Amino acid sequence: MTYILDGKKVAKKLKDNLKGEIENLKNKYNRVPGLAVVQVGNVAASSIYVNAKTKAAKEVGINVFDHHLQDNIKQKDLIDLIEQLNYNDEVDGILVQLPLPKTFNEQEILDCITPKKDADGFHPINVGKLSISQKNDENLLIPCTPFGCLLLLRELDVSLAGKNAVIIGRSNIVGKPMAQLLLKESCTVTIVHSKTVEIEKICKSADILVAAIGKPELVKEDWVKDGAIIIDVGINRVQINQQKSKIVGDVNFEEVKRKAFAISPVPGGVGPMTIACLLRNTFISCKKKLLV
Ligand code: NAD
């Protein structure tokens, strides 16, 4: 029987643990972690993500500082806000919801967040630390989605060392950091992407296949080896009819489930883990500050 990697369940466990740890911090230091959530404009999908992150943060006892800005603000205004948050003692994590409107230089904005408060783990310093550290150190600020994928894999109680891992997608927020994490778990890692030749053949060699593409149900049964572990990162809204739509992943779940040893569903797989890992990063930043 195929093992379904239930992200909601694993994320709940993570959040319950965090809640306890935050309670301990509060008792010991009279301080709880603070997360500043910055959203520019009113893209519906971004608002859904921001609401979900805010709700989850409050549930575990993190203070949320909400900064919802009009999309006509200037790059400099946003940089000024980030500078203020960098110096605000009550803020331990800063999250700028992506994508920003096209008029912004996203990387310049992300670079302004002090690495110590980089809740998403996207700052070049944290990207560098992830790349050069020998282990997947629990105290690094690691991009939330790939770390969530790794925690899902760890649920399986299967040794990752020596496994062939294939990652579809080479983005800075998922594909590349996922490769770093799996490399440190001693997997043999291959990244494939939109220009890869014979992609199905390479995917079929994977013991672990991570799909982070953004193309609904692109990965079919014949891309997958018998007994593979499949992590589906994709979030794609598809129209069922004129009125209704639904969310699907990058993997054709029903087909691939028949061959896989384990598979994460969409929704309810990687998504909840991403949020839990964001809370974890905020907690780590706070703890590090209190312990110096
Ligand atoms: P991206 O657009 O930045 O990168 C997509 C990657 O897929 C690119 O590297 C591209 O080369 C590759 N690609 C595109 N078409 C391809 C094809 N036909 N064959 C092979 N590779 C192809 O996207 P991203 O930000 O990495 O996100 C990927 C998906 O994951 C999206 O659906 C996104 O919504 C989702 N996502 C989910 C979470 C979560 O929490 N579950 C978090 C982040 C992103």
Side-chain angles (χ1 to χ4, degrees), residues 49 53 122 144-146 149 167-176 191-196 199 211-216 218 223 232-236 248-250 266 269-275:
Y49 294 136
K53 289 168 184 174
F122 295 157
C144 307
T145 300
C149 294
I167 299 157
I168 318 177
R170 54 179 160 178
S171 72
N172 287 337
I173 64 170
V174 191
K176 285 193 229 165
I191 298 185
V192 297
H193 49 77
S194 53
K195 300 282 187 272
T196 299
I199 192 165
I213 318 161
K215 298 268 185 282
L218 182 74
W223 290 43
D232 189 353
V233 180
I235 302 177
N236 308 289
V248 299
D250 290 339
V266 177
V270 175
M273 296 301 295
T274 297
I275 296 180

Side-chain angles (χ1 to χ4, degrees), residues 98-132:
L98 302 180
L100 288 168
K102 292 215 168 1
T103 48
F104 287 85
N105 177 339
E106 245 172 42
Q107 194 57 52
E108 190 189 12
I109 298 289
L110 296 179
D111 291 356
C112 289
I113 299 174
T114 176
K116 289 180 181 161
K117 298 189 179 186
D118 176 28
D120 267 325
F122 295 157
H123 191 282
I125 294 272
N126 290 319
V127 173
K129 283 185 178 172
L130 175 65
S131 164
I132 60 178

Side-chain angles (χ1 to χ4, degrees), residues 7-274:
K8 271 195 205 160
K9 206 165 113 190
V10 184
K12 182 173 182 310
K13 213 166 55 180
L14 237 161
K15 286 190 287 181
D16 287 346
N17 278 344
L18 268 179
K19 199 172 173 178
E21 297 220 49
I22 289 171
E23 198 60 41
N24 291 342
L25 273 192
K26 195 174 168 184
N27 292 336
K28 201 162 169 193
Y29 299 99
N30 195 26
R31 170 83 159 73
V32 296
L35 174 66
V37 179
V38 181
Q39 183 186 355
V40 181
N42 288 304
V43 174
S46 291
S47 297
I48 293 171
Y49 294 136
V50 162
N51 289 340
K53 289 168 184 174
T54 301
K55 182 168 171 276
K58 288 180 178 167
E59 277 168 8
V60 299
I62 291 176
N63 272 343
V64 177
F65 303 93
D66 182 28
H67 294 272
H68 193 167
L69 311 170
Q70 300 293 326
D71 57 6
N72 60 2
I73 65 147
K74 301 268 182 295
Q75 174 97 3
K76 179 168 181 325
D77 300 327
L78 185 50
I79 290 175
D80 286 347
L81 170 65
I82 292 171
E83 294 293 351
Q84 283 171 32
L85 296 171
N86 283 343
Y87 286 103
N88 184 336
D89 267 345
E90 290 178 85
V91 171
D92 302 290
I94 302 170
L95 157 78
V96 176
Q97 183 62 43
L98 302 180
L100 288 168
K102 292 215 168 1
T103 48
F104 287 85
N105 177 339
E106 245 172 42
Q107 194 57 52
E108 190 189 12
I109 298 289
L110 296 179
D111 291 356
C112 289
I113 299 174
T114 176
K116 289 180 181 161
K117 298 189 179 186
D118 176 28
D120 267 325
F122 295 157
H123 191 282
I125 294 272
N126 290 319
V127 173
K129 283 185 178 172
L130 175 65
S131 164
I132 60 178
S133 64
Q134 296 294 321
K135 289 189 176 161
N136 288 323
D137 177 348
E138 301 295 326
N139 283 324
L140 287 178
L141 297 179
I142 300 171
C144 307
T145 300
F147 193 60
C149 294
L150 178 63
L151 295 183
L152 274 184
L153 287 171
R154 285 185 180 161
E155 282 297 301
L156 286 171
D157 208 16
V158 166
S159 168
L160 301 180
K163 295 267 188 299
N164 271 338
V166 175
I167 299 157
I168 318 177
R170 54 179 160 178
S171 72
N172 287 337
I173 64 170
V174 191
K176 285 193 229 165
M178 187 77 243
Q180 295 290 357
L181 288 168
L182 290 176
L183 203 55
K184 279 187 274 177
E185 297 294 323
S186 299
C187 293
T188 304
V189 180
T190 307
I191 298 185
V192 297
H193 49 77
S194 53
K195 300 282 187 272
T196 299
V197 178
E198 297 198 319
I199 192 165
E200 294 95 326
K201 197 170 146 194
I202 301 170
C203 291
K204 209 164 178 167
S205 72
D207 303 310
I208 299 168
L209 184 64
V210 181
I213 318 161
K215 298 268 185 282
E217 301 183 326
L218 182 74
V219 177
K220 307 282 191 297
E221 194 174 8
D222 56 354
W223 290 43
V224 172
K225 176 160 100 176
D226 272 322
I229 299 169
I230 314 293
I231 303 286
D232 189 353
V233 180
I235 302 177
N236 308 289
R237 184 168 288 282
V238 292
Q239 231 34 60
I240 303 172
N241 56 39
Q242 276 191 332
Q243 284 85 40
K244 274 194 176 165
S245 64
K246 66 171 182 174
I247 299 290
V248 299
D250 290 339
V251 176
N252 185 318
F253 182 81
E254 289 308 324
E255 274 189 19
V256 171
K257 190 177 76 169
R258 291 198 285 266
K259 283 182 110 176
F261 165 69
I263 183 167
S264 69
V266 177
V270 175
M273 296 301 295
T274 297

